[in-house]
Amino acid sequence: MKLIIHGGFFSESDSDEQTKRAKQEALSAIAMEAHAYLQTHTAVETAVYAVSLLEDNELFNAGYGSQIQSDGKVRLSASLMDGKTQRFSGVINIEEVKNPILIAEKLIAHDDRVLSNIGALNFARENGFEYFNPFTQHRLIEYEAKLNQKERKGTVGCVALDKDGHLAAATSTGGKGFEIPCRVSDSATVAGNFANSFAAISCTGVGEDIVSGGLATKIVTRVTDGMTLKQATDKSFKELAQINGFAGVIGITAEGEIYHSDSHPYMVWASFDVSLQVFT
Ligand code: ASP
């Protein structure tokens, strides 16, 4: 029973020591809590649980505290993949909900499993997800200062291996920030979040690069065909470099191999393998 989570990239605009420590502490606490949860829950349940805790923490760009799109609205995207059943579900650009990953979880049992915008919102309300305002003061100030804005990335994700050897991946994002309204993130696509019975991957970074590189599916396919997770990830990042891609990934295999990599400094993460480890 193992897992690894990520909190996206550590951007230049929040690179003070205090924020770094806060992110280390938050990721450590959530990795430990999710690992305890994994003792009595499946990989799918645990990946959803870990991502919902990350969404609730305003330090990260997912759920509460998400970045704002160029028209002043927050739109959230999240997806879930069950490695055992190979079902993928997600919501794209949903507004005014607290935990998009919980809506993705609800959708996994349905025939129509990826919903966008108003369709996703209607589904959420019909299933009891209430109105929630995800704006934070910090994000509003950041939005108002958009002309001076540096590129920011900070999606969240979790991949987990449970006691029965099943894998799952869950990813959630507020997007790139200041994007064209309703631009589609990689996070609710199989490029940004993928799992089967061999490996599970969650990505962060520039969605367009991740989609161009078909990153999560590509790494999982390579592991399925016999590479180690490290080999599969390193090879895929070499290919990503050819298009000057910006991405970070976390991964886990059915054998229990855990690995993470990023194309640029640096993705923040925490894992629980035999013990807790956190980015420094
Ligand atoms: N991948 C996300 C997106 O492009 C952003 C991020 O990872 O921070 O929407």
Side-chain angles (χ1 to χ4, degrees), residues 6 8-9 61 67 152-155 173-176 179 183-187 203-208 210:
H6 73 75
F9 275 84
N61 173 30
Q67 296 183 130
R152 297 175 56 89
K153 295 153 205 83
T155 297
T173 191
K176 288 199 294 194
E179 62 270 74
R183 168 253 181 196
V184 174
S185 160
D186 63 291
S187 299
C203 301
T204 181
V206 176
E208 286 70 9
I210 294 166

Side-chain angles (χ1 to χ4, degrees), residues 113-210:
R113 291 195 284 279
V114 183
L115 299 181
S116 71
N117 208 273
I118 192 70
L121 185 62
N122 288 341
F123 175 86
R125 294 287 185 263
E126 278 159 20
N127 283 279
F129 292 92
E130 282 167 11
Y131 171 86
F132 181 79
N133 176 4
F135 282 79
T136 58
Q137 195 58 23
H138 171 74
R139 292 300 185 194
L140 280 169
I141 292 166
E142 190 183 87
Y143 177 71
E144 277 152 19
K146 68 178 176 187
L147 290 180
N148 302 319
Q149 185 63 40
K150 297 195 181 86
E151 200 176 23
R152 297 175 56 89
K153 295 153 205 83
T155 297
V156 303
C158 174
V159 291
L161 169 67
D162 65 25
K163 61 177 184 319
D164 297 321
H166 298 141
L167 296 161
T171 306
S172 181
T173 191
K176 288 199 294 194
F178 315 115
E179 62 270 74
I180 295 175
C182 296
R183 168 253 181 196
V184 174
S185 160
D186 63 291
S187 299
T189 74
V190 295
N193 189 72
F194 198 74
N196 67 7
S197 57
F198 292 83
I201 297 286
S202 167
C203 301
T204 181
V206 176
E208 286 70 9
D209 296 350
I210 294 166

Side-chain angles (χ1 to χ4, degrees), residues 3-280:
L3 58 82
I4 178 166
I5 61 175
H6 73 75
F9 275 84
F10 195 60
S11 58
E12 283 174 44
S13 55
D14 61 8
S15 62
D16 60 286
E17 268 309 306
Q18 209 185 334
T19 310
K20 185 176 174 184
R21 259 203 314 280
K23 287 196 170 183
Q24 283 171 327
E25 280 166 19
L27 286 165
S28 301
I30 291 171
M32 282 201 297
E33 208 173 321
H35 188 256
Y37 196 82
L38 185 58
Q39 309 307 304
T40 50
H41 293 83
T42 66
V44 172
E45 290 163 345
T46 304
V48 168
Y49 180 64
V51 166
S52 74
L53 295 178
L54 289 159
E55 287 177 339
D56 290 345
N57 190 316
E58 69 174 287
L59 281 173
F60 304 108
N61 173 30
Y64 181 57
S66 283
Q67 296 183 130
I68 302 171
Q69 297 193 340
S70 60
D71 61 349
K73 294 196 168 169
V74 171
R75 294 185 184 87
L76 309 170
S77 298
S79 72
L80 172 66
M81 188 152 184
D82 180 343
K84 184 181 162 203
T85 59
Q86 283 211 250
R87 282 168 91 92
F88 179 98
S89 61
V91 290
I92 296 174
N93 285 320
I94 188 169
E95 293 174 43
E96 299 178 338
V97 294
K98 185 160 183 269
N99 291 109
I101 195 65
L102 298 182
I103 304 163
E105 182 185 36
K106 194 58 129 190
L107 276 165
I108 208 156
H110 287 253
D111 288 341
D112 300 338
R113 291 195 284 279
V114 183
L115 299 181
S116 71
N117 208 273
I118 192 70
L121 185 62
N122 288 341
F123 175 86
R125 294 287 185 263
E126 278 159 20
N127 283 279
F129 292 92
E130 282 167 11
Y131 171 86
F132 181 79
N133 176 4
F135 282 79
T136 58
Q137 195 58 23
H138 171 74
R139 292 300 185 194
L140 280 169
I141 292 166
E142 190 183 87
Y143 177 71
E144 277 152 19
K146 68 178 176 187
L147 290 180
N148 302 319
Q149 185 63 40
K150 297 195 181 86
E151 200 176 23
R152 297 175 56 89
K153 295 153 205 83
T155 297
V156 303
C158 174
V159 291
L161 169 67
D162 65 25
K163 61 177 184 319
D164 297 321
H166 298 141
L167 296 161
T171 306
S172 181
T173 191
K176 288 199 294 194
F178 315 115
E179 62 270 74
I180 295 175
C182 296
R183 168 253 181 196
V184 174
S185 160
D186 63 291
S187 299
T189 74
V190 295
N193 189 72
F194 198 74
N196 67 7
S197 57
F198 292 83
I201 297 286
S202 167
C203 301
T204 181
V206 176
E208 286 70 9
D209 296 350
I210 294 166
V211 168
S212 297
L215 206 54
T217 5
K218 184 190 277 186
I219 296 171
V220 169
T221 303
R222 286 187 161 142
V223 173
T224 305
D225 289 347
M227 284 189 181
T228 66
L229 179 60
K230 180 177 180 337
Q231 285 166 346
T233 306
D234 291 351
K235 187 167 165 64
S236 303
F237 269 83
K238 270 202 192 115
E239 290 167 357
L240 191 73
Q242 288 163 14
I243 56 164
N244 207 16
F246 191 126
V249 309
I250 53 171
I252 193 164
T253 69
E255 248 99 74
E257 183 185 357
I258 285 185
Y259 191 59
H260 61 87
S261 185
D262 44 29
S263 60
H264 293 72
Y266 55 88
M267 181 185 64
V268 301
W269 58 272
S271 65
F272 211 115
D273 193 336
V274 276
S275 60
L276 176 73
Q277 288 188 54
V278 69
F279 78 99
T280 52

